[in-house]
Amino acid sequence: MESLSSSTSLSRYNQSFSELNPKSRRYIFRNPSRVVPNFVKLHQDPLKTKYLPPRLCVASANGDGFRKSHKGVVEGDGVIIVDHGSRRKESNLMLNEFVVMFKEKTKYPIVEPAHMELAEPSIKDAFDSCVQQGAKRVIVSPFFLFPGRHWNQDIPSLTTEAAKDHPGITYLVTAPLGLHEKLVDVVNERISYCLSHVAGEEDECSVCAGTGKCRLYN
């Protein structure tokens, strides 16, 4: 069998990969029996594909342990969407708007916003609110793109402190958004809208309304 290190094999491999249908290209097999989800895989050169570590979330029993469930959020769960937090009031209010959208879309009964720092409500405030509404398990979802110190250290630490006031309540800090094909559509839609705005075809969006930032510079 010809070595993949040769230029001929590399060209042949890349051509075969590009000819796969879109659904097949979403997955790369680690072995014949397992498929890696497209939000875990790092889309790089097919021959140099790397993977995020398998430990993508931080969990704690904080009491009786997790209930086994494979159905996602269930009755008795509370969800906290946490961002970094800003000194700019308008930025913080946008998280509130997102949480309203998220709650309406998912129909989850307990969803709270939180800011890691610089603004309120804090993670502790949101955790307390979830428990007061009847949550027995709290799921903290970082509204961050990629893993870093805030996800690895700060948010878990703040969540652990918040949970100390509620013995018996389990909690989970999920992975950040990471790489997902739907984010490609979101970024592309944002670019397209801004280009339409500077062309005079669309009004300013809610993100930059009144700032004058969305314009062409010389």
Side-chain angles (χ1 to χ4, degrees):
M1 182 176 178
E2 190 176 6
S3 171
L4 281 176
S5 62
S6 70
S7 59
T8 301
S9 293
L10 178 60
S11 175
R12 186 178 303 162
Y13 183 93
N14 287 335
Q15 181 179 359
S16 298
F17 185 83
S18 65
E19 289 175 353
L20 291 173
N21 63 62
K23 184 176 181 179
S24 297
R25 287 204 303 267
R26 293 174 187 165
Y27 303 95
I28 291 181
F29 291 88
R30 276 183 172 174
N31 57 62
S33 63
R34 183 178 178 185
V35 176
V36 180
N38 59 347
F39 60 81
V40 174
K41 185 169 79 276
L42 293 178
H43 295 272
Q44 298 179 345
D45 185 293
L47 293 180
K48 298 179 180 179
T49 301
K50 297 180 180 179
Y51 298 86
L52 294 175
R55 182 178 177 274
L56 287 177
C57 59
V58 180
S60 174
N62 195 34
D64 298 329
F66 283 118
R67 293 160 293 163
K68 293 183 178 179
S69 172
H70 302 287
K71 299 180 180 179
V73 175
V74 297
E75 184 178 356
D77 284 343
V79 176
I80 298 174
I81 308 294
V82 56
D83 69 359
H84 184 280
S86 173
R87 292 185 177 87
R88 187 171 182 266
K89 181 180 178 180
E90 292 80 3
S91 297
N92 295 324
L93 290 176
M94 290 191 71
L95 178 65
N96 295 349
E97 294 179 13
F98 176 79
V99 167
V100 170
M101 293 167 55
F102 181 86
K103 188 172 183 179
E104 290 180 350
K105 180 76 172 180
T106 62
K107 306 302 181 184
Y108 298 155
I110 306 174
V111 184
E112 293 292 327
H115 306 292
M116 188 189 73
E117 60 182 8
L118 301 177
E120 295 181 346
S122 64
I123 291 176
K124 184 182 186 308
D125 294 334
F127 201 105
D128 291 344
S129 180
C130 285
V131 176
Q132 289 169 6
Q133 295 175 68
K136 302 301 181 184
R137 178 174 67 174
V138 177
I139 301 154
V140 179
S141 179
F143 200 40
F144 290 73
L145 277 178
F146 304 120
R149 183 174 62 86
H150 291 325
W151 169 73
N152 190 47
Q153 299 178 19
D154 300 334
I155 293 176
S157 177
L158 291 168
T159 304
T160 298
E161 285 299 312
K164 287 180 179 179
D165 293 335
H166 305 284
I169 301 298
T170 59
Y171 65 88
L172 165 74
V173 178
T174 74
L177 298 177
L179 297 176
H180 197 292
E181 290 180 353
K182 289 184 178 180
L183 287 174
V184 174
D185 296 331
V186 173
V187 172
N188 189 46
E189 183 176 328
R190 168 60 63 202
I191 292 172
S192 297
Y193 190 94
C194 289
L195 288 174
S196 296
H197 168 65
V198 299
E201 299 171 357
E202 297 287 353
D203 295 330
E204 284 185 319
C205 68
S206 60
V207 176
C208 58
T211 65
K213 295 292 186 180
C214 190
R215 62 186 179 87
L216 288 176
Y217 294 84
N218 294 324

